[in-house]
Amino acid sequence: MSSLVKRLCEVPLLSRVSHLRLCRRKIQNYNICYTVLRHRWMKSLPVLGSSFRQLTTQQDKEAVDMSKFPVDRIRNFCIIAHIDHGKSTLADRLLEMTGAIAKTEKNRQVLDKLQVERERGITVKAQTASLFYTHAGQQYLLNLIDTPGHVDFSYEVSRSLSACQGALLIVDANQGIQAQTVANFYLAFESQLEIIPVINKIDLKNADPERVESQIETVFDIPSEECIRISAKLGTNVEKVLQAVVDRIPPPVGSISDPFKALVFDSNFDHYRGVVANIAVIGGRVNKGDKIVSAHLNKTYEVNELGLLRPDEQPTQKLFAGQVGYLIAGMKDVKEAQIGDTLYLQEQPVEALPGFKPAKAMVFAGMYPMDQSEYPALRSAIERLTLNDSSVTVQKDSSLALGAGWRLGFLGLLHMEVFNQRLEQEYNASVIVTAPTVPYKAVLSSAKLIKEHGREEITIVNPAQFPDKSLVSEYLEPMVVGTILSPDTYTGKIMSLCLSRRAVQKNMVYIDEQRVMMKYLFPLNEIVVDFYDLLKSLSSGYASFDYENAGYQAADLIKMDFLLNGRPVEELTTIVHRASAYSTGKAMCERLKESIPRQLFEIAIQAAIGSKVIARETIKPFRKNVLAKCYGGDITRKMKLLKKQAEGKKKMRRIGNVDVPKDAFINVLKSERHASNVGRKRDKQNGDENNTSDPLVRRGMSK
C-alpha cells in the first residue's frame, strides 16, 4: 500500500488524478487509501492543501459531548402564536444570540425551509433547533420548536407540544390577541405546559403593549407582570426571553438510568439515507450502533446516525434523556416511521407511549394524475409527503372521467392548497384536484343496507356516493364552533355574514374597550371554502377566525349534479342544503361558463337535483360564416348551407367531449359562494305570491 502511494505522489498532478481513478476500481478498502492519499497530497501541494484542510475542518468538526447536559440543564420549549405575529423572526434572533447561526442581515425565517413557506410567507411545518446558552455560569441545552400559526396546521402545533415542557406565547403589540392565539393557548394549557407570554413588535408606531397586557390578563388570567416586551426584529429584550426560558420552564422528566425510550414526533424522507426521524428521548440513552425496535411494527434497526438539529444536522455519538434530536436507522420504507411511534433498545423492551390522536380531516378532495401512466410516481410522491405531513388521510378512489386516484382528507382548504403546491415543487407531480367537500353522515333506514354496511350510520366523503333520500331516515352534517375576534366597529357586518352561512350565535364577549370575541355554531360546509377571505374583506383585515370540531347535526341535504351536454360530471357533484340549492346551482353554472373554453359545438351546462334541472347556462359555439360566399341569388341556397352547418354541429355535439380545466374545480366553488349569498338576498327581497323564500318551492319542487 505505502509503495503504491509513494509512486503516485512522484508523478505529475494530471496523471496522479487519473491514477486515483484507477485506484478506486483496484483497491477494495478505498476509504483508507483515499485518506492516506489526501494527507500526502496536502504535503506536496501546500496551496491546495490549505483549502482542503479548511473544508475538512468544517465537515469533520468535533462532535458535541451530550453527556455534559444532564436533565436539569435541558429546556424543551416551542413558540406558539397567531399567524404573522413574529414567531419565525424571534426564532432567528434566538439562533443568532446562541451562536447557532452567524449574525447577518440575510437571516430571515431561517427555519422556514420549504419553498412554499418562502413564497407564501407563512410557516407550514414545525422545525426544531438545539441551542447552547450560558446562564449564571452554567451551559444549558435549549431545544426550540418553531410552529405554524394558521388554523389549518394546528396538528403540527399539538404534536410539537408533546415534546416540550413550556411554550412562548407570542402576541403582536399592535394587533393584540387573535383567534389562533386563544386556540394555541388552550392547546398548551391542556398539555400542562408552562406558558411565558411575550409581547412582540413593540418598535411599531401603533404598538400598545399596555392594552395587550390587559387583554392577556382578562382572557388567559396571566398577570401582566409576567409578560416580556420585545422587538424580535431589532433584538430588543430578546435576552430576557432566554433567561425566562431557563428560569421558568421546568426541565424534562426522565433519567439516564431508565431504559431507553424515545417518541417519534416528526419525520421526513431522504432519497439516500431513508427515513430521518425527529425524536424526543423520554428516558435512558442511545448510542450510534445500538439495536433499536419500533413498537408500532416490532421491527429491529441499527442506529446509523444520530445527532442534533442546530438547525442543520450535527451528528453526535449519543443522545440522553430529555434531549431532542434526529435519528437515522436504515428505514427505507415510508411506512416504517410512524409519527407517535415509540423506539426502545432491543434488549430492554418498554411499554409503548400513548402517541398522538389521529388528525380529524375536515375537507376531502379527489386527487388524480394528469395521465394514468404517472400513477406509480404520484403514489410514491404522496406516500413520502404524507410521511412528512401525517395529518393527511389517504383513501384509494377512482373516477370514470379521471381514472384511478385518491380521496385525500385535509384540515382545511389552505392545507389542501399547500399540499398540492408541495407535490408540484418537491416531487414535480402534476395533478387534478376535484372540488373540496366535507364528510357527511347518513342514518340508514333499510335493513338490507344496514346489513351490507355493518352499521346503521355511514360516513360519506365522496358526494357521488351520497345515498338517495328513500334509503335513509336522516342526513347529518358536520358542525364547528367558530371563534371570531374583531374590532367592535365591524360587528354588524360580521353578524350578517355569519347569519347568511346558517350560523347560530353562542356568545359575545368584549375582551377590552374596542375588541369583541364572538362564538358561533357553523355548518362546516358553509365556512370551509371562502368564509375566511370574506371575513377579512369585511373587517379590512382586522378580524381573525378559528374553529374546532363540534360533532354532527341533522340537516335537510340534497345532492346536486352538474351536466355538460347531458353527461354528468362526477367530479363536480356537490352536496348542498335545500334552502341554498337554487342560488348555489345558478352561481356554479355561471362560473363553469367562464371556466370552460368554447368549442365548435354548443355546450349546455345544467345543475340538476335528481331528474329536475334547476339552472342552466349555454356556451355558444364558434361558428363559421357559411353565407360569406353568397352575394345574392335564391334564399333556398342560403337555407341549404345553414341546414348543412346545423347538422354538422348537431353531430359534433353528439360525439364531442368537453374537457373541464383542472383549475376550474376549486375556482368554481370559491367564486360561487359570494354569488349564492347575493342570490339569497335577492330572493328574500323579491318574495313571491306564496310568500316563501325557498326557491325550490317557487319552482314547484316538493320538499
Side-chain angles (χ1 to χ4, degrees), residues 436-587:
T437 60
V438 300
Y440 294 97
K441 287 187 177 179
V443 180
L444 301 173
S445 58
S446 164
K448 184 181 177 183
L449 280 174
I450 294 171
K451 187 177 180 181
E452 185 182 319
H453 288 93
R455 56 189 182 280
E456 189 180 359
E457 197 175 86
I458 60 169
T459 303
I460 305 132
V461 295
N462 189 345
Q465 297 167 357
F466 195 72
D468 191 72
K469 180 68 178 172
S470 61
L471 303 174
V472 299
S473 55
E474 66 174 349
Y475 297 115
L476 305 171
E477 68 177 343
M479 307 296 290
V480 292
V481 174
T483 304
I484 301 170
L485 277 94
S486 166
D488 58 359
T489 51
Y490 302 104
T491 305
K493 291 180 181 178
I494 292 170
M495 291 175 80
S496 298
L497 173 65
C498 294
L499 290 173
S500 72
R501 298 302 177 97
R502 299 190 288 124
V504 178
Q505 189 174 14
K506 290 295 181 184
N507 67 9
M508 181 172 164
V509 179
Y510 275 83
I511 61 172
D512 62 19
E513 295 81 10
Q514 297 173 343
R515 293 185 67 80
V516 64
M517 181 166 69
M518 296 174 275
K519 283 190 181 289
Y520 279 89
L521 184 68
F522 287 96
L524 178 59
N525 187 41
E526 295 287 346
I527 65 163
V528 80
V529 177
D530 67 341
F531 178 81
Y532 188 71
D533 296 338
L534 283 174
L535 180 68
K536 283 288 186 186
S537 177
L538 285 175
S539 63
S540 304
Y542 287 111
S544 60
F545 179 66
D546 179 60
Y547 60 86
E548 58 186 29
N549 187 28
Y552 282 77
Q553 189 171 291
D556 188 9
L557 303 172
I558 47 178
K559 182 172 83 168
M560 185 185 296
D561 294 306
F562 288 88
L563 314 176
L564 297 180
N565 283 347
R567 297 176 185 174
V569 182
E570 186 182 300
E571 294 72 35
L572 289 172
T573 300
T574 185
I575 299 166
V576 294
H577 195 271
R578 187 180 290 273
S580 60
Y582 171 72
S583 52
T584 302
K586 180 73 176 168

Side-chain angles (χ1 to χ4, degrees), residues 143-311:
N143 294 309
L144 153 73
I145 303 178
D146 182 26
T147 63
H150 197 279
V151 60
D152 282 12
F153 306 102
S154 57
Y155 189 63
E156 289 283 323
V157 180
S158 63
R159 284 195 291 106
S160 302
L161 294 174
S162 66
C164 300
Q165 286 74 48
L168 299 178
L169 182 67
I170 315 297
V171 185
D172 191 314
N174 184 22
Q175 296 180 11
I177 289 176
Q178 302 289 311
Q180 196 63 21
T181 315
V182 178
N184 285 338
F185 169 81
Y186 284 113
L187 279 175
F189 187 75
E190 288 167 10
S191 301
Q192 299 180 338
L193 302 189
E194 179 67 32
I195 298 169
I196 302 173
V198 178
I199 299 173
N200 191 19
K201 303 187 183 181
I202 59 170
D203 57 306
L204 293 179
K205 184 181 177 181
N206 297 324
D208 190 355
E210 289 83 11
R211 178 175 62 88
V212 177
E213 283 177 356
S214 172
Q215 289 180 5
I216 290 171
E217 197 162 3
T218 304
V219 179
F220 303 139
D221 200 23
I222 298 175
S224 57
E225 300 78 41
E226 293 185 16
C227 299
I228 305 171
R229 299 182 185 183
I230 68 161
S231 169
K233 185 179 180 181
L234 303 178
T236 311
N237 290 341
V238 175
E239 183 75 30
K240 289 184 180 178
V241 175
L242 287 168
Q243 292 170 6
V245 167
V246 173
D247 294 336
R248 288 156 64 175
I249 293 178
V253 179
S255 171
I256 297 175
S257 58
D258 294 340
F260 169 68
K261 184 192 289 187
L263 173 72
V264 179
F265 67 89
D266 201 357
S267 59
N268 58 76
F269 190 83
D270 186 284
H271 287 282
Y272 303 102
R273 300 180 297 171
V275 175
V276 181
N278 289 7
I279 61 168
V281 183
I282 308 300
R285 70 178 81 187
V286 61
N287 303 326
K288 187 176 177 180
D290 281 353
K291 298 282 187 184
I292 59 168
V293 179
S294 158
H296 176 69
L297 293 174
N298 207 25
K299 277 190 174 183
T300 304
Y301 306 96
E302 183 179 341
V303 179
N304 299 329
E305 185 183 329
L306 47 82
L308 300 175
L309 295 161
R310 289 189 37 79

Side-chain angles (χ1 to χ4, degrees), residues 8-27:
L8 276 171
C9 288
E10 289 169 356
V11 297
L13 178 62
L14 191 61
S15 304
R16 204 179 300 172
V17 174
S18 62
H19 272 91
L20 183 61
R21 287 178 185 160
L22 286 171
C23 290
R24 288 185 182 180
R25 290 193 291 270
K26 283 181 184 176
I27 303 170

Side-chain angles (χ1 to χ4, degrees), residues 44-81:
S44 56
L45 294 171
V47 178
L48 289 172
S50 61
S51 61
F52 278 137
R53 196 175 292 115
Q54 188 179 0
L55 284 168
T56 49
T57 309
Q58 289 293 330
Q59 291 171 358
D60 305 332
K61 58 183 170 184
E62 206 172 302
V64 180
D65 181 13
M66 300 306 295
S67 61
K68 66 181 182 181
F69 295 106
V71 173
D72 61 334
R73 280 198 276 141
I74 297 173
R75 302 290 185 270
N76 299 326
F77 69 100
C78 61
I79 304 177
I80 55 176

